[in-house]
Amino acid sequence: MTSKEKVAALREEMQKNNVDAFIVYSSDPHMSEYLPEEWQERSWLSGFLGSAGFVVVTKDKAGLWTDGRYYTQAAIELEGSGIDLFKDGMEGTPNYIDWIISEIPSHGKVAVNDIATSNANWELLSSKFDAKNITLSGIPLLKEIWKDRGTPSKNPIYAHPVERAGKSVVDKLSAIRQKMEEQEVAVHIISSLDDVAWTLNLRGSDVQSNPVFLGYIVITKNDAILFTDLDKLEVEARKQMDDSFVKMMPYEEFFNHLKGIKNEKILISPNSNQSIFEILKTDNQFVKAAVPGNLMKAQKNDTELEGFRKVMVRDGVAMVKFLYWLNHAAGKEPMNEFSIGEKLRGFREEGENFVGESFGSIVGYKDNGAIMHYSAKKEGSKEVTNDASILVDSGGQYLEGTTDITRTFALGAVSDDFKRNSTLVLQGLIRLSMVKFPKGTKGVHLDAIARLPLWMEGKDFNHGTGHGVGSFMNVHEGPQNIRKDMNPQDLLPGMVCSNEPGYYLEGDYGIRHENLIAVREAEKTIHGTFYDFETLTFCPFFKDTIVKEILSEQEIAWLNQYHKTCEEKLAPHLEGEVKEWFLQLVSPL
């Protein structure tokens, strides 16, 4: 079926159920960013493949709301679907709830799939709809029309040993129970997959690029129960659970188990699915708050940070070999954006303990670089030659850590404007890398530092400057970030973030430069504690697109020192022509 036919079939189901509007979030029962194949409902319905966005279908209209990373991509992928693009965050774009209210009759009915809808979204919808006498119902309407959605994977669940995790399961559960005691709760439910995996020092591969598995945890004062596909647990994983006094039950038993919880005070994230709340709400009291382990996970311990440092050398070597190949092979052998991504994966596979990519590589040649989260398809991706610029955003999952790096560079002639804008973006990255900030600083306070070189010329980019990164875990991790939006979370020692300013000229080129950085304590003064960033990524920037006059002496010194560090870390692992070429790259500006 085409997207247009799927929307028509959904409208038939809506009519049968007397539904005036149906909302399809990009979600699964665990509110994941990247979804198991069988839960990619929004992508299946609309044809839009971005990681963020949702669709609203009424009796005669349909719309997709997504953010600035995907405006260009969504416009292309929605073509012919009958679904209009609503650019979330742009002036004049209506809030989707207000739009629904304006489109359906009073006393109308709106439905969502409640197991794939967070309680936070449910409560927001309810509060606005109740004021207009609109009914909200949980009905899985797509279940009736998406028949071949696939089944959960049977990939193994394996132990992530304490030698790499840095903290035992027993210690993690003890720390979580202490937080439960402080909040005077008897039961804690964990449904987010990365928090489940982190808490129990387990890993899997149920979600592409994310080393997680489908599961829930229920923790009480005396018990911890993992609900997952028991057949997938490897021997060492089972032993780790037994040794940590964690019970194991089938994934399908989770909701039945909840029915037996009564008259308890329950700590649960409002980002958990609404079906959990529906079962528990009558007989229990909720404390809605972030999962305590989420902040613990974000603050990497010394073992995890050392793991990052090790894999950054491995990843940097793979990147240099790849960059050498691409710069010398472009125009001499046939290649396209997709095959380049495959080639890059091959270089990473040569590294020790490589598990897979941390996300699908973004390889954008020429104007495709302006599509921020562009995904080149196997068939029909753009041919690449030794001309113009290319943006390569990629990362690897290794047993000791996760990487995420972007380099944008010239394969041939580029304009002076490109060079200037590339330098401004790099200047923003350098300034953020150099910053020192007081304890209590939040990401929003630092975001402007990376944007200022562009802002001074009336330019900007339409995505965050930085996101949290997991330790052999999800490449996008909270609760911290560095972006324009207000996020109340302080930046704390051990937090790993991306540093990725950009600039995009639709129809022409895109530029993004990205390293990973870790918050660390810098000094204590009479004015308090100050933090700065350790740059974790080791990979040179291309000097032929740098306009040296734009950079200050201090910024040039930072870049030269960074390249010297890259040489110290990577040169011992390179040889021959690759090494000679690399040494030219890292020579002083």
Side-chain angles (χ1 to χ4, degrees):
M1 284 194 291
T2 65
S3 291
K4 205 164 192 175
E5 290 168 334
K6 293 170 185 176
V7 171
L10 173 57
R11 287 192 172 116
E12 289 181 19
E13 290 301 316
M14 290 166 58
Q15 190 170 1
K16 289 177 192 175
N17 290 272
N18 196 31
V19 169
D20 297 293
F22 188 69
I23 307 170
V24 185
Y25 292 110
S26 178
S27 190
D28 65 2
H30 305 275
M31 303 300 115
S32 307
E33 178 186 12
Y34 297 107
L35 308 175
E37 188 177 346
E38 68 272 17
W39 280 103
Q40 294 175 13
E41 294 187 333
R42 189 234 41 226
S43 296
W44 177 84
L45 179 68
S46 68
F48 169 59
L49 302 177
S51 66
F54 51 87
V55 171
V56 180
V57 177
T58 68
K59 291 179 178 179
D60 56 2
K61 292 182 181 178
L64 168 92
W65 276 255
T66 191
D67 63 42
R69 294 171 295 171
Y70 297 109
Y71 293 163
T72 305
Q73 177 182 337
I76 295 167
E77 293 178 345
L78 291 177
E79 200 168 327
S81 67
I83 301 172
D84 296 324
L85 172 61
F86 288 85
K87 297 180 177 180
D88 214 7
M90 288 283 282
E91 192 173 343
T93 298
N95 173 276
Y96 79 103
I97 303 176
D98 295 335
W99 184 83
I100 291 170
I101 291 170
S102 71
E103 290 292 330
I104 68 173
S106 57
H107 301 281
K109 182 178 179 182
V110 178
V112 295
N113 185 357
D114 55 2
I115 200 172
T117 301
S118 70
N119 170 255
N121 275 338
W122 181 277
E123 292 294 327
L124 179 62
L125 293 167
S126 294
S127 64
K128 291 209 171 188
F129 289 156
D130 285 350
K132 300 292 183 179
N133 296 312
I134 293 171
T135 303
L136 177 63
S137 298
I139 312 172
L141 291 180
L142 288 181
K143 191 176 181 181
E144 299 303 316
I145 59 173
W146 187 11
K147 300 290 189 183
D148 58 344
R149 65 166 61 205
T151 55
S153 84
K154 282 291 182 181
N155 298 331
I157 300 170
Y158 51 96
H160 183 57
V162 70
E163 291 78 19
R164 294 196 180 107
K167 194 171 184 181
S168 71
V169 177
V170 170
D171 286 343
K172 289 179 179 181
L173 289 173
S174 176
I176 290 170
R177 287 189 173 111
Q178 185 176 336
K179 293 295 182 182
M180 290 170 61
E181 194 173 325
E182 289 171 10
Q183 297 186 64
E184 299 179 335
V185 297
V187 180
H188 175 36
I189 296 170
I190 304 175
S191 64
S192 45
L193 299 184
D194 58 335
D195 290 307
V196 169
W198 176 86
T199 301
L200 300 180
N201 285 349
L202 297 174
R203 298 294 188 266
S205 56
D206 286 352
V207 180
Q208 186 175 4
S209 302
N210 293 347
V212 297
F213 56 92
L214 297 181
Y216 296 95
I217 304 174
V218 177
I219 301 174
T220 65
K221 184 177 180 181
N222 299 311
D223 289 317
I225 308 172
L226 166 65
F227 295 85
T228 194
D229 184 340
L230 302 182
D231 294 339
K232 291 159 55 174
L233 284 161
E234 291 188 343
V235 173
E236 278 302 310
R238 283 180 173 273
K239 183 178 185 304
Q240 187 166 278
M241 293 303 93
D242 288 336
D243 292 347
S244 307
F245 310 104
V246 176
K247 298 176 182 177
M248 293 162 279
M249 294 183 68
Y251 184 78
E252 297 76 17
E253 287 298 311
F254 173 68
F255 286 104
N256 285 333
H257 180 82
L258 295 186
K259 292 173 185 175
I261 300 175
K262 298 188 185 296
N263 304 314
E264 299 286 10
K265 199 171 177 182
I266 302 170
L267 173 61
I268 184 169
S269 166
N271 200 40
S272 303
N273 75 64
Q274 180 61 22
S275 293
I276 297 173
F277 289 82
E278 292 296 321
I279 290 174
L280 295 170
K281 67 182 182 182
T282 303
D283 300 306
N284 299 283
Q285 182 183 349
F286 296 120
V287 174
K288 296 182 185 180
V291 173
N294 192 251
L295 183 56
M296 300 176 195
K297 171 165 57 68
Q299 288 187 265
K300 308 298 182 286
N301 57 51
D302 290 343
T303 301
E304 291 172 317
L305 288 171
E306 191 55 36
F308 270 105
R309 296 181 189 113
K310 286 179 181 177
V311 301
M312 290 300 175
V313 173
R314 228 171 284 159
D315 206 66
V317 169
M319 281 296 299
V320 169
K321 291 179 178 178
F322 162 75
L323 293 170
Y324 173 84
W325 166 80
L326 181 54
N327 277 271
H328 288 79
K332 296 178 183 176
E333 60 182 79
M335 63 180 72
N336 59 34
E337 293 162 322
F338 180 83
S339 70
I340 288 170
E342 293 293 290
K343 188 77 172 180
L344 174 51
R345 180 190 172 95
F347 282 112
R348 282 199 168 98
E349 285 175 340
E350 296 173 7
E352 184 184 2
N353 293 335
F354 176 77
V355 175
E357 295 173 303
S358 57
F359 57 97
S361 292
I362 299 167
V363 181
Y365 183 50
K366 295 184 177 180
D367 56 325
N368 283 343
I371 304 173
M372 294 173 206
H373 277 210
Y374 174 68
S375 177
K377 296 177 174 59
K378 189 171 185 178
E379 304 297 330
S381 69
K382 192 187 288 286
E383 297 295 320
V384 176
T385 65
N386 57 339
D387 180 38
S389 64
I390 190 166
L391 182 156
V392 181
D393 185 350
S394 66
Q397 293 284 10
Y398 301 83
L399 292 179
E400 304 95 329
T402 301
T403 70
D404 183 2
I405 177 174
T406 309
R407 292 294 183 265
T408 307
F409 48 95
L411 290 174
V414 292
S415 67
D416 289 342
D417 278 345
F418 174 90
K419 292 179 181 179
R420 182 173 189 85
N421 289 324
S422 182
T423 306
L424 293 173
V425 173
L426 179 59
Q427 188 176 38
L429 177 145
I430 292 171
R431 288 185 180 183
L432 184 57
S433 303
M434 292 168 59
V435 74
K436 188 183 292 185
F437 52 97
K439 181 179 179 180
T441 296
K442 306 173 196 321
V444 68
H445 298 142
L446 302 183
D447 182 75
I449 291 170
R451 295 179 188 269
L452 190 59
L454 289 164
W455 282 357
M456 293 301 289
E457 298 195 1
K459 300 165 183 173
D460 199 5
F461 54 95
N462 214 351
H463 58 74
T465 298
H467 56 80
V469 178
S471 173
F472 186 34
M473 187 52 73
N474 295 2
V475 74
H476 293 155
E477 179 180 276
Q480 81 279 13
N481 56 34
I482 302 171
R483 56 188 305 125
K484 290 179 181 178
D485 316 67
M486 174 53 75
N487 177 348
Q489 177 59 55
D490 291 353
L491 294 174
L492 299 170
M495 287 181 168
V496 175
C497 300
S498 66
N499 174 3
E500 51 179 313
Y503 181 72
Y504 309 90
L505 201 57
E506 191 170 337
D508 200 347
Y509 59 78
I511 299 163
R512 186 162 61 253
H513 300 310
E514 176 187 18
N515 283 341
L516 296 191
I517 51 180
V519 182
R520 63 186 176 186
E521 186 173 312
E523 63 177 340
K524 285 186 169 74
T525 74
I526 59 170
H527 300 291
T529 300
F530 281 76
Y531 300 146
D532 66 1
F533 290 118
E534 173 189 357
T535 295
L536 297 171
T537 305
F538 304 121
C539 183
F541 296 95
F542 286 80
K543 298 195 293 289
D544 59 354
T545 54
I546 295 175
V547 182
K548 186 176 179 179
E549 294 71 30
I550 291 175
L551 302 178
S552 69
E553 287 186 13
Q554 190 180 17
E555 289 159 356
I556 292 170
W558 182 94
L559 184 60
N560 286 337
Q561 181 58 52
Y562 175 70
H563 280 161
K564 184 178 179 182
T565 304
C566 288
E567 179 182 347
E568 292 168 355
K569 298 289 186 180
L570 306 183
H573 307 282
L574 301 169
E575 56 188 24
E577 292 180 2
V578 177
K579 185 172 183 176
E580 290 177 22
W581 177 79
F582 167 74
L583 292 175
Q584 287 298 312
L585 275 187
V586 296
S587 63
L589 184 64

